[in-house]
């Protein structure tokens, strides 16, 4: 007797093999049998589901999230839980909340707030500190029920600050004693179940006080010593937001990846680094991955994590505003939105804000006044807009000042309209570079940043975007096969972190599944909500078309609504493939 039998499905099993009509049986939270139509005809089950017309896929495995705080209060891990994700990996980019000295809680919060744009007030209200060491943090995570599995890495920033105090926070050079102490903490964390170690080396990652993340300038001696602990253990992945990842130091990018190749070869462990197309060197995105691929050819295990769509900012009067540096606008920012909107519509206020042009010598302000980089995203949202949809192009057509056009565009839809400003992955005005990066043998899908950048983006919806845009709707370049789009966010991402008990629909694997109406699947326009602790603000993007999401044999979401089932667990360490698979 099976627990659940799913019939008449279009099975896309995560291996990359062609889809096929089939049946899937589930028992005790795992896939018990997979057959063609009729092969399980005699099977009995407590529940039978008719999946006619829908695709059955593995649950998505998202390897780059920042739910480190949210995982202690939110059982849904929204918005990832609404987008078919059944496993997330946290603790990326060198930031997190363990180890945590009792007098460092506020500092760790402001570090996360600065780097990942998660409201500090929400973190301060939501996190109930019940740990100091990293193993104690894992124990605390294990006490919470949730709809999906969480796994985490030990973050360099927290480790450095714990060992070195203010010296570590200010990126001073570590002594041998410091390094030995950090290496011991990382070893303890991985032995307790951390999947790896993460660091940030890009100067674009800064705490709220403007200081770069601890570890940004760490010497190779420090990094390699930590890596050697992984070698001794024979487990753990080394994850990095690499120097130059934000385009701030282009020559450093090649040197970084060359260093990662040497590191991986020396410690015998995988290294994964964040990789984006940057405007300062728009044509080197494949060259950097080629460096990693040459390293792989000689035994290093190095991969670049690449995003599935343009990486940037959603601008509007509810979220990030291009006018935020202008005093006349700053005077309104603390107002309730409806009151703020009424003031923004006043002709005198509009004239005052538009009159305050930033100085041309201010490079940051100038970047946010580049009207050729702002696109009207529309509804439904268009993440591959053509040049005719820029504010600059619209202003030229209408014979108007682009500053005025942008202001009025953001006032549309009762002030809730959004503009897309791609900072990365859109240097040539299309998603072609993303297509090439995703197909490069030294890349893996990542960088959804689930739980982070709350006032700027909602890229946790990328798993759904892969199916809507890349598989079905793209018109400005080649599309991808459904089987490939499923594989790169299931078996490939799971395998990178050694989670071999999930990611495919095969006997013995966890019954982590999505049943999807591919024709009805859609992304809604992001909207602003205030549902974080302490009324914290964030952007959410909903999806339609997921008939259900199943975790370990329990349906946790049905038609986008939580069912109340919470079978998710903390994943401690890698997972071997079941013998049956």
């Amino acid at each position: 007797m099976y627990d659940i039998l799913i019939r008449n499905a279009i099975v896309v099993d995560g291996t990359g093999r062609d889809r096929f009509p089939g049946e899937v049986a589930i028992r005790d939270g795992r896939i018990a049998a997979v057959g063609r139509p009729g092969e399980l005809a005699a099977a009995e089950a407590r529940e039978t589901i008719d999946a006619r017309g829908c695709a059955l896929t593995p649950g998505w495995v998202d390897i780059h999230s920042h739910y480190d705080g949210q995982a202690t209060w939110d059982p849904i891990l929204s918005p990832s839980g609404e987008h078919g994700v059944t496993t997330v990996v946290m603790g990326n980019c060198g930031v997190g909340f363990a180890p945590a000295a009792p007098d460092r809680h506020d500092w760790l919060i402001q570090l996360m707030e600065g780097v990942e744009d998660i409201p500090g007030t929400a973190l301060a209200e939501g996190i109930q500190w019940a740990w100091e060491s990293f193993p104690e943090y894992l124990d605390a995570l294990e006490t919470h029920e949730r709809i999906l599995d969480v796994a985490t890495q030990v973050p360099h920033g927290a480790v450095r600050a714990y060992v070195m105090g203010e010296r570590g926070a200010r990126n001073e050079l570590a002594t041998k004693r410091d390094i030995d102490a950090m290496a011991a903490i990382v070893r303890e964390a991985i032995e307790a179940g951390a999947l790896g170690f993460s660091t940030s080396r890009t100067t674009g990652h800064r705490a709220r006080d403007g200081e770069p993340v601890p570890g940004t300038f760490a010497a190779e001696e420090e990094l390699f010593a930590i890596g050697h602990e992984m070698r001794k253990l024979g487990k753990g992945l080394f994850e990095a937001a690499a120097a130059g990842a934000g385009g701030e130091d282009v020559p450093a990018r090649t040197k970084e990846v060359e260093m990662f190749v040497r590191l991986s070869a020396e410690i015998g462990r995988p290294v994964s680094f964040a990789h984006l197309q940057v405007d300062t060197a728009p044509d080197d995105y494949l060259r950097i991955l080629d460096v990693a691929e040459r390293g792989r050819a000689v035994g290093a295990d190095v991969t670049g994590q690449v995003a599935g769509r343009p990486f940037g900012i959603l601008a509007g009067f509810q979220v990030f505003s291009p006018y935020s540096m202008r005093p006349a606008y700053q005077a309104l920012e603390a107002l309730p939105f409806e009151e703020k909107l009424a003031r923004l519509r006043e002709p005198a206020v509009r004239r005052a804000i538009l009159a305050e042009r930033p100085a041309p010598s201010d490079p940051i302000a100038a970047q946010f006044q580049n009207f050729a980089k702002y696109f009207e995203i529309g509804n439904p949202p268009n993440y591959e807009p053509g040049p005719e949809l820029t504010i600059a192009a619209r202003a030229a057509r209408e014979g108007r000042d682009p500053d005025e056009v942008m202001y009025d565009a953001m006032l549309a839809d009762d002030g809730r309209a959004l503009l897309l400003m791609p900072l990365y992955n859109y240097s040539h005005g299309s998603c072609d570079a993303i297509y090439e990066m995703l197909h490069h043998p030294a890349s893996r899908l990542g960088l959804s940043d689930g739980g982070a950048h709350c006032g700027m983006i909602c890229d946790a919806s990328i798993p759904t975007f892969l199916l809507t845009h890349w598989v079905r709707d793209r018109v400005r370049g080649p599309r991808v096969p459904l089987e490939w789009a499923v594989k790169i966010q299931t078996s490939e991402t799971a395998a990178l972190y050694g989670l071999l008990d999930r990611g495919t629909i095969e006997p013995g694997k966890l019954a982590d599944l999505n049943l999807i109406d591919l024709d009805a699947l859609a992304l809604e326009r992001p909207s602003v909500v205030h549902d974080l602790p302490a009324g914290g603000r964030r952007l959410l993007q909903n999806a339609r078309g997921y008939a259900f999401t199943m975790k370990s044999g329990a349906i946790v979401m049905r038609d986008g609504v939580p069912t109340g089932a919470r079978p998710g667990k903390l994943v401690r360490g890698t997972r071997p493939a079941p013998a049956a698979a």
Side-chain angles (χ1 to χ4, degrees), residues 379-438:
N379 191 15
N382 178 6
Y383 286 94
E384 193 175 11
E388 73 282 359
L389 295 177
T390 65
I391 292 297
R394 177 177 165 184
R397 287 194 301 271
E398 297 176 3
R400 299 173 61 204
D401 185 319
D403 210 11
E404 296 180 3
V405 171
M406 182 162 67
Y407 191 100
D408 294 341
M410 289 165 54
L411 279 177
D413 194 15
D414 292 326
R416 291 170 171 80
L418 295 170
L419 306 178
L420 173 66
M421 185 190 184
L423 297 175
Y424 310 109
N425 289 355
Y426 216 65
S427 300
H428 300 311
S430 79
C431 289
D432 289 344
I434 301 171
Y435 179 93
E436 292 182 297
M437 286 189 285
L438 286 173

Side-chain angles (χ1 to χ4, degrees), residues 17-217:
R17 293 190 291 254
D18 289 346
R19 72 195 81 175
F20 60 90
E23 307 171 324
V24 176
I26 296 158
R27 181 192 295 127
D28 297 330
R30 293 186 176 268
I31 296 168
V34 180
R36 300 280 176 165
E39 289 184 357
L40 303 180
E44 295 184 359
R46 294 180 178 85
E47 180 182 1
T48 299
I49 296 173
D50 186 350
R52 194 176 307 275
C54 291
L56 188 68
T57 75
W60 315 136
V61 179
D62 187 338
I63 60 173
H64 195 105
S65 77
H66 292 280
Y67 291 113
D68 308 72
Q70 192 175 332
T72 67
W73 75 72
D74 180 10
I76 309 300
L77 285 193
S78 173
S80 290
E82 287 106 340
H83 286 277
V85 176
T86 52
T87 304
V88 297
V89 179
M90 315 181 299
N92 288 283
C93 300
V95 290
F97 296 111
D103 62 347
R104 281 279 168 182
H105 294 173
D106 289 344
W107 183 86
L108 288 170
I109 285 173
Q110 67 90 27
L111 178 63
M112 182 68 82
E113 181 178 21
V115 174
E116 301 299 342
D117 184 34
I118 303 172
T121 52
L123 294 170
E125 176 78 15
I127 298 175
Q128 303 301 310
W129 300 90
W131 63 86
E132 179 169 342
S133 71
F134 199 90
E136 289 169 344
Y137 175 61
L138 294 180
D139 292 343
L141 288 174
E142 209 159 33
T143 65
H144 293 269
E145 295 182 335
R146 54 185 69 86
I147 71 170
L148 48 76
D149 282 354
V150 299
T152 191
Q153 302 159 96
V154 57
H156 198 180
V159 171
R160 221 173 189 269
Y162 188 82
V163 169
M164 298 174 61
E166 199 61 25
R167 291 187 301 114
R170 300 300 174 188
N171 273 294
E172 292 185 17
L173 187 67
T175 66
K176 185 180 185 306
R177 178 176 292 184
D178 295 331
I179 293 172
D180 290 344
M182 285 188 273
I185 287 174
V186 173
R187 180 184 183 90
E188 177 188 53
I190 293 177
E191 286 179 326
L195 291 187
F197 167 82
S198 76
T199 190
S200 175
R201 298 171 57 75
T202 170
T203 55
H205 279 167
R206 293 177 180 267
R208 195 178 59 198
D209 63 5
E211 286 291 323
V213 173
T216 300
F217 310 110

Side-chain angles (χ1 to χ4, degrees), residues 181-385:
M182 285 188 273
I185 287 174
V186 173
R187 180 184 183 90
E188 177 188 53
I190 293 177
E191 286 179 326
L195 291 187
F197 167 82
S198 76
T199 190
S200 175
R201 298 171 57 75
T202 170
T203 55
H205 279 167
R206 293 177 180 267
R208 195 178 59 198
D209 63 5
E211 286 291 323
V213 173
T216 300
F217 310 110
E220 284 192 18
E221 178 187 7
E222 183 176 335
L223 301 178
F224 276 63
I226 290 169
H228 273 280
E229 291 302 315
M230 297 183 188
R231 179 179 183 175
K232 294 173 189 174
L233 292 170
K235 54 187 175 182
L237 178 143
F238 194 109
E239 187 270 341
E248 72 278 6
D249 185 3
V250 171
R253 299 180 67 179
T254 300
K255 293 180 180 178
E256 275 285 279
V257 180
E258 290 171 346
M259 185 266 283
F260 293 148
V261 168
R262 287 189 287 108
L263 174 64
S264 177
E266 187 169 315
I267 68 175
R269 302 305 309 158
V271 176
S272 179
F273 64 95
H275 183 59
L276 299 156
Q277 181 196 39
V278 298
D279 288 355
T280 47
D283 298 315
D284 77 343
Y285 55 93
L286 293 182
R287 181 180 61 80
I288 298 296
L289 290 173
D290 287 343
V291 174
E293 181 62 14
R294 288 195 295 272
R296 291 160 67 91
V298 295
D301 186 355
V302 181
T303 56
Q305 281 191 37
V306 300
R309 70 182 182 202
F311 197 98
I313 291 173
L314 292 176
F317 285 131
Q318 282 189 297
V319 284
F320 166 81
S321 170
Y323 304 109
S324 60
M325 296 183 182
R326 306 186 188 190
Y329 183 80
Q330 292 169 349
L332 308 177
E333 287 194 282
L335 296 175
F337 178 68
E338 294 301 333
E339 185 178 346
K340 174 183 172 182
L341 181 61
R343 296 293 308 280
L344 289 168
R345 286 172 168 158
E346 293 176 8
V349 171
R350 182 180 185 275
R351 285 194 300 270
I353 293 173
L354 293 175
E356 294 176 346
R357 301 295 175 101
S361 58
D362 185 338
I364 296 178
Q367 180 183 25
F368 293 120
Q369 292 297 121
N370 184 354
F371 302 106
K373 291 287 285 186
Y374 286 97
F375 297 83
E376 296 186 76
I377 193 171
N379 191 15
N382 178 6
Y383 286 94
E384 193 175 11

